[in-house]
Amino acid sequence: MILKLKKGTVAFLNKELLYIDFKSVRLDRVLTNLFIKMYADGQPVQLAFRKEYTIDTLKSNLNALEEQGVINGVKDNPDGVEDWLRSSLLELVNRGNVIKEHVSTLKPLHLLSFRVQNSKYCRDYRASDQLYLMLKSNPEVMKGLVKYLSKGWDKASGEINTLEELDVDTTGILHITKPLRERKSMSKDVDIIPKPLLEKQAALFTDDIRRLLIYKEKLPRAVFIDYLRILCGLHLALYTMKVVYLLPKMIHAGARNVVDDWSLVVDLTDNLDSIVSQFACKDIERMENSYGKYIRATYMVDIIQKRKRCDVDEAFRILKEDNNKQGEYYEKELNDIEDSLPNSDEKEFDKNDFHEMLEFFPEKDYFDMFVHVLEKSNLGASQYKYIHDFVDAVCMKNSSSMLLADSRSKRHPRRGALGSKLLETMVQLLVLKEKNNGGYETRSLSIDELAKAIRERYGLIINGIGEDRFADADVEMNAAFRVNMDAFKNKLRQIGFYTDMSDACILQKIRPRYKLED
């Protein structure tokens, strides 16, 4: 039996801590919703088309464009048009299921792709709000990304700019969305969040986007968008893991400024029984075991903010210095919950169960009792369940872009990993070096330098030799990290960044795929 509380007893979602309502998400849909916020400067948007978009609706729109002389061949090739829509332009839910398949949105190849979407199939549970909050901390990078994503579209005139070259798919999206309109919703207030909780992590995200924009003229648009999607997933994952790890420390310290010593061992061997996998598994297990502490810490901040109407920094201070745990407010909340329960019921959670739940707490420690009740209720249990789903989704689990691998077997637990596409994205950014004038140039890196750069920038440990946390490393652990470094080299060979030219370490370099000219 579990205590069932009404949703909203104390709201768990705290936008000043983590602007995400934990659910499983699809990163393409997160990008689409992010594009809306970037296009409308964070304002809510209402789309003019009220009915559900279907493939037939879009085919009719393309037929209309052909009648206007914009495109040719639609009526003569209906099957080819449908195949193009399905394979290149549309995000579909339940793809291939004749009954349940629905259009979600257009693929996020252009900023205007959000104009064709069915909102109920394009939910991202506020993941895009978190990304927008992080991006907003650097207006220059935001402006540069909007400019690239808007290529081929003149917002002022509402016309397509034919002088800018675009690929066929993006051009198709532009023509489909051009006649469609939207308007900013004035009935909803814009949430004003002063700054992200982890400002350095937000700055890292915007710096990665800045570096990605260096390649905007060198990468095909589809590849650029794929890198953007991977970076959004990576930084949502890193931000979430760090908040889970650091929030209890912030409460203990009474301030947000705590030492960020988070790290994660990643296994690059792609071998479930590798010698390094046990260390990668332990880090994920440690993180998952801390979900309870994070949920408890969030409720503690939520309760204080609900009572005091203060910001998160003041809430941290109150929890450290000025929280009367015997306060009447907490006692009243507990009494209200108890009064709503039946006196005795073998099938439902009753007052006896409630008293049992709190019997080991010190007398009149109403605050800790209230937090415990929330944590162990259906509300806290649902957060524990859905945070797993969210982390799996943004870590791109078991894909070529994965930060997390899972064999779905007790023998082989979940572990940190580094997929080839994610590694490729990281390498493309890390071979860039900022010059004194603010520009960037490409450089070659040794294998060790690259592993060190990934550790310093993202907290991901490939070679733990020399790490403080592995100061007591034994022979087995040292051997594990050597195996991991060999797998690292092999993965770099596979993605084309590394070729053995010599046995000499000085010649074993990661060479940039694109050289930047001064």
Side-chain angles (χ1 to χ4, degrees), residues 246-458:
L246 294 174
L247 183 59
K249 291 189 172 188
M250 292 177 183
I251 289 177
H252 180 74
R256 74 169 73 198
N257 297 320
V258 295
V259 176
D260 180 1
D261 57 351
W262 179 90
S263 61
L264 178 73
V265 174
V266 287
D267 178 4
L268 283 94
T269 64
D270 296 330
N271 178 4
L272 297 175
D273 294 308
S274 71
I275 190 173
V276 74
S277 65
Q278 58 179 307
F279 304 108
C281 290
K282 283 180 181 176
D283 273 10
I284 294 296
E285 183 182 10
R286 187 181 301 114
M287 178 189 72
E288 293 179 341
N289 288 340
S290 66
Y291 286 162
K293 292 180 181 178
Y294 162 71
I295 292 169
R296 190 179 312 124
T298 301
Y299 273 128
M300 290 169 73
V301 175
D302 291 342
I303 292 168
I304 295 297
Q305 287 193 291
K306 181 180 179 182
R307 181 189 173 197
K308 298 289 188 178
R309 305 292 179 184
C310 60
D311 63 19
V312 69
D313 292 295
E314 178 64 10
F316 287 152
R317 188 199 65 78
I318 291 172
L319 284 167
K320 175 70 173 178
E321 303 173 358
D322 193 28
N323 184 27
N324 178 16
K325 294 186 177 184
Q326 299 180 16
E328 293 181 2
Y329 173 83
Y330 310 132
E331 183 181 11
K332 179 180 181 302
E333 291 288 334
L334 285 169
N335 289 336
D336 288 346
I337 292 172
E338 183 180 359
D339 290 343
S340 68
L341 299 174
N343 289 322
S344 180
D345 192 329
E346 294 182 1
K347 296 182 179 180
E348 294 291 337
F349 194 94
D350 58 27
K351 291 183 178 179
N352 293 329
D353 297 318
F354 186 76
H355 293 150
E356 256 182 60
M357 177 188 284
L358 304 177
E359 65 179 328
F360 295 111
F361 280 85
E363 187 178 359
K364 295 186 177 181
D365 186 0
Y366 300 125
F367 176 77
D368 288 334
M369 290 181 186
F370 188 29
V371 172
H372 183 73
V373 165
L374 292 170
E375 181 191 354
K376 297 302 180 182
S377 71
N378 59 318
L379 303 179
S382 67
Q383 296 302 329
Y384 190 87
K385 172 187 175 183
Y386 288 122
I387 192 172
H388 281 84
D389 297 340
F390 177 78
V391 170
D392 282 358
V394 294
C395 284
M396 301 160 278
K397 185 181 76 173
N398 291 346
S399 72
S400 58
S401 308
M402 65 183 170
L403 184 60
L404 189 150
D406 182 11
S407 70
R408 300 183 180 87
S409 164
K410 289 184 178 180
R411 184 186 167 199
H412 300 115
R414 295 145 60 92
R415 66 193 189 284
L418 209 58
S420 55
K421 276 192 176 181
L422 176 56
L423 179 58
E424 178 184 335
T425 306
M426 289 179 173
V427 175
Q428 294 280 36
L429 303 184
L430 291 173
V431 294
L432 293 174
K433 180 182 179 182
E434 190 169 3
K435 297 188 291 187
N436 293 332
N437 62 4
Y440 286 87
E441 61 183 359
T442 49
R443 56 174 175 166
S444 296
L445 293 170
S446 70
I447 298 291
D448 288 335
E449 286 173 336
L450 180 60
K452 184 178 179 181
I454 291 173
R455 167 65 179 98
E456 291 176 350
R457 191 170 181 85
Y458 303 108

